[in-house]
Amino acid sequence: MKEDDANTSGEELPERPQSPHPNYVTPAGLAKLQGQLAELQAQRQELMAHPDGILAGEHLKPVERDIRYFQERIER
């Protein structure tokens, strides 16, 4: 029997796995990572600007998780 989806909405999302090794990228690859990070940050700003939106809270958690992921990839 499948549990009700309403019970899983409040659960924390697992972090995206990161390698403990340095992340070597080309300048073009770094620019792409930075572009993805900027896009996610813009999405977060939009979701935070309209917190009363029906799905804003549900979409904010994965966006913030992905922001942490790309920030760490860039730092490595």
Side-chain angles (χ1 to χ4, degrees):
M1 179 175 196
K2 183 177 176 184
E3 291 187 29
D4 185 16
D5 288 339
N7 293 336
T8 61
S9 64
E11 292 181 10
E12 291 295 318
L13 293 173
E15 290 296 318
R16 293 177 67 178
Q18 291 277 0
S19 171
H21 305 289
N23 182 37
Y24 297 109
V25 295
T26 64
L30 179 60
K32 187 173 180 178
L33 288 171
Q34 291 171 333
Q36 289 172 322
L37 178 60
E39 185 178 316
L40 287 165
Q41 289 172 332
Q43 286 179 7
R44 179 176 61 184
Q45 288 296 88
E46 185 176 327
L47 289 169
M48 293 178 81
H50 304 289
D52 56 339
I54 296 171
L55 299 176
E58 291 180 30
H59 290 296
L60 188 59
K61 287 181 182 182
V63 168
E64 288 181 337
R65 177 197 59 186
D66 290 346
I67 287 172
R68 289 189 300 273
Y69 172 80
F70 283 107
Q71 285 174 334
E72 190 171 338
R73 291 257 343 238
I74 291 169
E75 288 174 12
R76 290 181 186 258

